[in-house]
C-alpha cells in the first residue's frame, strides 16, 4: 500500500480551498485525488466535513512548520480517533491483492481516513519535518518533502523560481 499517495490527499485538500465552494468543485477535487467513482453520492455534508478537515490539516502543517512535533502527533492522533482506519484487502484493475483504507461510509470519511493515515504513516516513517508550507511569499501552500536530503522548501518549481528570482534581484539592488 502506497501511503505517500494517501498523504498527498491531505496536501491536495489543503491546497484546494477554491474547490470547496460547491459540490461540483468537490467532485473535481475528488477526481483529481483519484477518490471519485462515477455514480458515487456526494452531499453537502461531505462538503462541510472536508472543509472542516481542511482546516484541521492546515493546522497540522502549520504546527509542523513551527517544529512542534508533539503537537503534530497529538493532532494527528485526535484525527485518527475521529476517523478510524478500516483496512480492506482489494483486488482490481488486474493488480495483485493489496490493502486499501476504508472503502465504505461517506465520501468525506473515505477521503479523511486516507489523508490522515497517510500523514500519520509519513511522519512515523520519515519525520514531522517532511510536512512543509511553501516558503515563497505569499504562497503558503502545503507540500510533502520526499527528497532524499530533506531540502524541499517550495510547493512547486514555479514558486521556487519566483523566490530565487526575487532573492537575486534583492542581492542586485543591495550591490548597487
Amino acid at each position: 500500500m502506497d501511503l505517500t499517495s494517501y498523504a498527498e490527499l491531505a496536501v491536495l485538500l489543503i491546497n484546494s480551498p477554491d474547490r470547496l465552494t460547491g459540490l461540483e468543485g468537490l467532485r473535481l477535487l475528488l477526481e483529481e485525488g483519484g477518490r471519485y467513482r462515477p455514480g458515487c453520492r456526494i452531499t453537502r455534508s461531505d462538503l462541510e466535513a472536508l472543509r472542516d478537515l481542511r482546516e484541521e490539516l492546515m493546522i497540522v502543517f502549520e504546527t509542523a512548520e513551527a517544529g512542534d512535533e508533539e503537537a503534530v502527533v497529538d493532532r494527528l492522533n485526535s484525527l485518527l480517533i475521529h476517523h478510524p482506519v478500516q483496512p480492506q484487502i482489494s483486488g482490481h484493475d488486474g493488480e495483485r491483492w493489496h490493502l486499501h483504507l476504508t472503502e465504505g461510509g461517506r465520501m468525506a470519511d473515505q477521503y479523511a481516513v486516507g489523508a490522515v493515515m497517510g500523514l500519520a504513516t509519513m511522519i512515523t516513517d520519515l519525520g514531522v519535518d517532511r510536512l512543509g508550507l511553501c516558503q515563497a511569499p505569499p504562497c503558503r501552500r502545503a507540500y510533502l518533502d520526499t527528497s532524499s536530503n530533506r531540502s524541499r522548501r517550495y510547493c512547486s518549481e514555479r514558486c521556487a523560481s519566483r523566490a530565487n528570482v526575487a532573492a537575486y534581484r534583492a542581492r542586485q539592488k543591495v550591490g548597487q
Side-chain angles (χ1 to χ4, degrees), residues 59-118:
I59 293 169
V60 168
F61 274 76
E62 289 169 345
T63 306
E65 187 79 11
D68 191 345
E69 289 188 20
E70 287 188 31
V72 170
V73 169
D74 288 344
R75 285 194 170 277
L76 284 175
N77 278 334
S78 293
L79 287 168
L80 285 168
I81 290 167
H82 187 73
H83 304 284
V85 177
Q86 299 169 13
Q88 184 177 31
I89 299 172
S90 180
H92 56 83
D93 302 327
E95 293 183 31
R96 298 180 53 182
W97 292 113
H98 57 280
L99 285 176
H100 276 265
L101 303 177
T102 306
E103 293 296 324
R106 296 183 316 165
M107 179 58 65
D109 295 329
Q110 293 175 32
Y111 196 101
V113 164
V116 173
M117 187 63 189

Side-chain angles (χ1 to χ4, degrees), residues 2-168:
D2 177 17
L3 288 172
T4 302
S5 66
Y6 280 105
E8 289 288 346
L9 294 173
V11 171
L12 178 62
L13 184 62
I14 291 169
N15 293 341
S16 301
D18 55 319
R19 293 193 182 165
L20 297 177
T21 59
L23 295 179
E24 181 59 21
L26 177 56
R27 185 186 62 76
L28 293 172
L29 173 91
L30 295 171
E31 280 181 359
E32 185 176 339
R35 307 304 296 169
Y36 181 80
R37 291 175 199 78
C40 73
R41 187 165 182 255
I42 303 170
T43 66
R44 287 246 168 247
S45 177
D46 290 318
L47 181 61
E48 290 302 319
L50 288 177
R51 283 179 183 159
D52 292 344
L53 178 63
R54 182 191 177 279
E55 295 305 315
E56 286 290 327
L57 293 175
M58 187 63 187
I59 293 169
V60 168
F61 274 76
E62 289 169 345
T63 306
E65 187 79 11
D68 191 345
E69 289 188 20
E70 287 188 31
V72 170
V73 169
D74 288 344
R75 285 194 170 277
L76 284 175
N77 278 334
S78 293
L79 287 168
L80 285 168
I81 290 167
H82 187 73
H83 304 284
V85 177
Q86 299 169 13
Q88 184 177 31
I89 299 172
S90 180
H92 56 83
D93 302 327
E95 293 183 31
R96 298 180 53 182
W97 292 113
H98 57 280
L99 285 176
H100 276 265
L101 303 177
T102 306
E103 293 296 324
R106 296 183 316 165
M107 179 58 65
D109 295 329
Q110 293 175 32
Y111 196 101
V113 164
V116 173
M117 187 63 189
L119 288 179
T121 301
M122 185 163 200
I123 68 159
T124 56
D125 288 349
L126 302 174
V128 170
D129 61 337
R130 294 303 185 120
L131 308 181
L133 294 172
C134 187
Q135 299 299 302
C139 182
R140 305 299 288 163
R141 290 172 50 99
Y143 65 86
L144 300 173
D145 183 357
T146 56
S147 66
S148 59
N149 61 357
R150 300 175 186 255
S151 62
R152 187 166 176 184
R153 295 181 18 226
Y154 305 104
C155 68
S156 66
E157 287 297 319
R158 181 175 176 226
C159 278
S161 293
R162 191 174 70 234
N164 288 333
V165 167
Y168 172 77

